[in-house]
Amino acid sequence: RGGGGVCDFGAIGACGAGIGMVNSPARAVADNPGLKTDNLKAVAVYYDHQMNDSRVAVMTVRAAVESGAVVLNHAEVTGLRMTRGRVTGAELKDRLDGTEFGVDARVVLNATGPWVDHLRRMEDKHSMPSIRLSKGAHIVMKRKSPWKAAMATPIDKYRITFALPWEDQLLLGTTDEVYEGDPADVRATESDIQQILDEAAFSVKDADLDRSLMTYAFAGLRVLPGGPGGVEKAKRETVVSEGAGGMLSVAGGKWTTYRHIGRVVMDKLAKLPGSPLTEDMEPVKSLVRRVPLPGVANPNAVAHRLLVDREPGTRMDPLTARHLASHYGSLAFDIARLANEDPALAERIHPDGPEIWAQVAYARDHEWAETVDDVLRRRTTVTVRGLDDEAVRTRVEEMLGL
């Protein structure tokens, strides 16, 4: 049935793996008491890594800003600016206050994920689809027993179901089915939830799959190359194309290769007419290849310093210190400073979670969080823990000035 290990960062995407050993069912149950052992002969163990995709996305944007980028959150592209048949900018709309404005550019990169073909049709209404979408759903469960390793269980020739220890909970999934609706409307349906539970039941005990343990359900979209056959068979490859108006579009790929994709795209952008990029691309490539994301640090060392380097008369809960260290790295010290300056920000957002109110202030002031969901779902793990009750959401609204 398979098994795996997890690293410190704590969330969804796998970043690399190595084959390990084969263990007995008894050894596997010692690590994961929720494992079913009926007819189980052996468990293959491999080692893998985890990352929090929301946190890595925010830190990637922050790294871009430190290199000179300008960030517009909640900005919708409503049209493209054209000059003599070439794309030379975009018309934008602020989705929060309705403000409309435009941006001029010498080159335009369309990296809009599941909306990539929508923008390609703005450039050329006759453009053919370049990608297709696959919906993947997950559910999050409270853990009844300790889980020391992730579990990967083959379902058929192409698909595997996962049971991962994640954010002190259990992450189950995923589904893989074609999606043809509006990307903004993707949701985990009741059918998705039941499918995930049924597939998890191949290897997870029923007591650990009780519906009362579920705290959250969500779905996302995989951007896959267009082609024949089912989406479960499609290769997870990157699609890069230049349109009739000179706009470069890129979609697909995986977190494991996103820096490589960045280098490929920069090479292609440099060759476009009017590109501001010089022939000497080495400084740019070096930036994409070698510069670490903001805050990258050993989480064990950061957590230790958060606990021992305190102002007189203050202390930090070890669970909070560990959470901040693993999700913010060395930037956790900035959050700790906010908590030291204002004791109210040192309080937990919810008594059942490790996060503190200083993270809300930090998301507002340094991470472009403008809505309650930006904070609770996309900058912190409050929502996925099922802790975003009305009182929490109301206070976040107040802190955001909504």
Side-chain angles (χ1 to χ4, degrees), residues 44 148 176 183 223 256 261 264 302 304 368:
K148 296 181 181 179
D176 194 351
V223 180
T256 44
I261 295 169
V264 171
V302 172
H304 176 73
W368 307 279

Side-chain angles (χ1 to χ4, degrees), residues 212-326:
S212 65
L213 299 174
M214 191 173 76
T215 61
Y216 188 56
F218 64 98
L221 295 173
R222 306 176 189 91
V223 180
L224 305 173
V231 291
E232 73 281 355
K233 303 176 185 178
K235 295 182 179 180
R236 273 48 175 169
E237 295 178 342
T238 306
V239 178
V240 181
S241 60
E242 182 181 348
M247 181 174 70
L248 193 67
S249 296
V250 57
K254 303 177 72 171
W255 277 108
T256 44
T257 58
Y258 88 111
R259 290 207 182 210
H260 170 72
I261 295 169
R263 295 195 298 272
V264 171
V265 169
M266 295 304 289
D267 278 337
K268 291 185 178 295
L269 283 175
K271 298 173 183 177
L272 293 180
S275 173
L277 300 175
T278 65
E279 291 299 322
D280 182 11
M281 289 289 293
E282 278 311 309
V284 177
K285 290 182 178 179
S286 179
L287 177 69
V288 176
R289 181 187 300 116
R290 295 189 176 90
V291 176
L293 294 181
V296 170
N298 185 319
N300 295 323
V302 172
H304 176 73
R305 281 190 56 190
L306 288 172
L307 292 173
V308 300
D309 294 349
R310 305 295 298 162
E311 296 293 329
T314 66
R315 66 179 297 276
M316 179 175 287
D317 183 282
L319 291 178
T320 296
R322 182 64 185 174
H323 178 82
L324 294 179
S326 61

Side-chain angles (χ1 to χ4, degrees), residues 54-301:
S54 293
R55 295 301 315 161
V56 174
V58 171
M59 288 301 96
T60 300
V61 173
R62 182 161 175 166
V65 169
E66 292 178 358
S67 298
V70 175
V71 174
L72 301 175
N73 197 14
H74 295 281
E76 176 186 1
V77 177
T78 58
L80 297 178
R81 292 186 168 186
M82 308 290 290
T83 303
R84 293 188 294 274
R86 303 288 294 179
V87 178
T88 55
E91 304 295 340
L92 304 173
K93 178 180 180 180
D94 188 321
R95 292 290 296 270
L96 299 183
D97 65 13
T99 302
E100 296 183 352
F101 54 99
V103 174
D104 291 321
R106 292 170 65 180
V107 294
V108 175
L109 173 65
N110 170 19
T112 54
W115 288 273
V116 67
D117 279 345
H118 176 66
L119 264 71
R120 290 178 64 248
R121 284 190 292 272
M122 289 184 181
E123 177 188 29
D124 176 6
K125 64 181 181 180
H126 300 297
S127 66
M128 300 298 292
S130 65
I131 57 101
R132 50 185 169 158
L133 302 177
S134 167
K135 173 183 166 183
H138 293 81
I139 60 176
V140 184
M141 313 280 287
K142 294 179 181 178
R143 286 190 286 186
K144 287 182 62 69
S145 54
W147 286 68
K148 296 181 181 179
M151 295 202 314
T153 306
I155 295 299
D156 55 35
K157 183 177 179 181
Y158 300 102
R159 295 187 54 251
I160 292 175
T161 186
F162 296 96
L164 311 176
W166 180 64
E167 302 294 0
D168 309 316
Q169 300 185 97
L170 189 64
L171 179 71
L172 302 178
T174 180
T175 61
D176 194 351
E177 61 180 20
V178 65
Y179 184 83
E180 297 177 341
D182 185 338
D185 294 335
V186 65
R187 299 287 187 277
T189 65
E190 173 59 30
S191 175
D192 295 328
I193 293 170
Q194 191 59 55
Q195 176 185 339
I196 292 169
L197 291 172
D198 289 344
E199 292 179 348
F202 281 113
S203 55
V204 179
K205 293 179 180 178
D206 293 343
D208 293 86
L209 301 177
D210 191 285
R211 280 289 190 109
S212 65
L213 299 174
M214 191 173 76
T215 61
Y216 188 56
F218 64 98
L221 295 173
R222 306 176 189 91
V223 180
L224 305 173
V231 291
E232 73 281 355
K233 303 176 185 178
K235 295 182 179 180
R236 273 48 175 169
E237 295 178 342
T238 306
V239 178
V240 181
S241 60
E242 182 181 348
M247 181 174 70
L248 193 67
S249 296
V250 57
K254 303 177 72 171
W255 277 108
T256 44
T257 58
Y258 88 111
R259 290 207 182 210
H260 170 72
I261 295 169
R263 295 195 298 272
V264 171
V265 169
M266 295 304 289
D267 278 337
K268 291 185 178 295
L269 283 175
K271 298 173 183 177
L272 293 180
S275 173
L277 300 175
T278 65
E279 291 299 322
D280 182 11
M281 289 289 293
E282 278 311 309
V284 177
K285 290 182 178 179
S286 179
L287 177 69
V288 176
R289 181 187 300 116
R290 295 189 176 90
V291 176
L293 294 181
V296 170
N298 185 319
N300 295 323

